[in-house]
């Protein structure tokens, strides 16, 4: 539960405190963090539709498909809401667009864990992409 406080604060930092309906995205970021940093799974081996959305759906007592739609919509809104400074802060470099909504989940999970941007962490620790790392 303490961990979700960090995810909640981050999402509210991006959207502002008045944004409602962000719980699915917050839970998805938390679950991605668990898979990446507690279970030490490789990022490329994590399938959001199989590994993250069902867990979030159980937590929220909702259908996995509706959770998927909600998280994907919120991930895209998150991208659209961020200004250039926020994108540099959380992602680490300027991108024209995110490849997929799942990327935002991973970018934010890395930021919650390390308090540094995704690409900065990967420059310093590329082994994080492959799982099974040990710090």
């Amino acid at each position: 539960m303490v961990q979700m406080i960090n995810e909640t604060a981050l999402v509210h930092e991006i959207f502002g405190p008045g944004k409602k309906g962000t719980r699915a995205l917050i839970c998805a970021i938390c679950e991605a963090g668990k898979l990446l940093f507690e279970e030490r799974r490789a990022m490329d081996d994590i399938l959001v539709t199989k590994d993250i959305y069902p867990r979030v759906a159980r937590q929220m007592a909702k259908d996995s498909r509706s959770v998927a739609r909600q998280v994907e919509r919120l991930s895209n809104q998150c991208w659209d809401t961020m200004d250039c400074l926020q994108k540099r802060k959380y992602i680490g470099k300027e991108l024209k667009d995110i490849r997929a909504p799942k990327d935002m989940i991973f970018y934010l999970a890395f930021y919650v864990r390390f308090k540094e941007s995704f690409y900065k962490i990967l420059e310093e620790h590329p082994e994080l992409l492959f799982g099974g790392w040990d710090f």
Side-chain angles (χ1 to χ4, degrees), residues 54-72:
R55 291 181 181 198
V56 174
R58 279 192 299 278
Q59 291 173 22
M60 297 182 68
K62 288 188 173 185
D63 178 67
S64 191
R65 287 183 310 239
S66 61
V67 165
R69 284 191 303 271
Q70 188 175 12
V71 171
E72 289 166 5

Side-chain angles (χ1 to χ4, degrees), residues 98-122:
I98 53 174
R99 293 177 307 167
K102 73 174 188 169
D103 293 339
M104 187 60 66
I105 295 168
F106 291 122
Y107 296 152
L108 298 178
F110 268 75
Y111 190 83
V112 166
R113 171 69 178 214
F114 298 105
K115 301 296 186 245
E116 292 284 349
S117 70
F118 175 79
Y119 284 103
K120 181 173 193 240
I121 296 302
L122 287 186

Side-chain angles (χ1 to χ4, degrees), residues 15-57:
F15 283 120
K19 177 76 172 166
K20 301 227 184 272
T22 57
R23 184 168 176 234
L25 178 60
I26 291 165
C27 291
I29 296 165
C30 186
E31 290 302 322
K34 288 177 187 174
L35 292 167
L36 289 164
F37 308 119
E38 292 175 23
E39 296 180 24
R40 295 187 171 135
R41 292 190 37 200
M43 195 169 79
D44 288 342
D45 292 342
I46 299 171
L47 304 173
V48 291
T49 55
K50 181 181 169 194
D51 300 316
I52 295 176
Y53 297 155
R55 291 181 181 198
V56 174

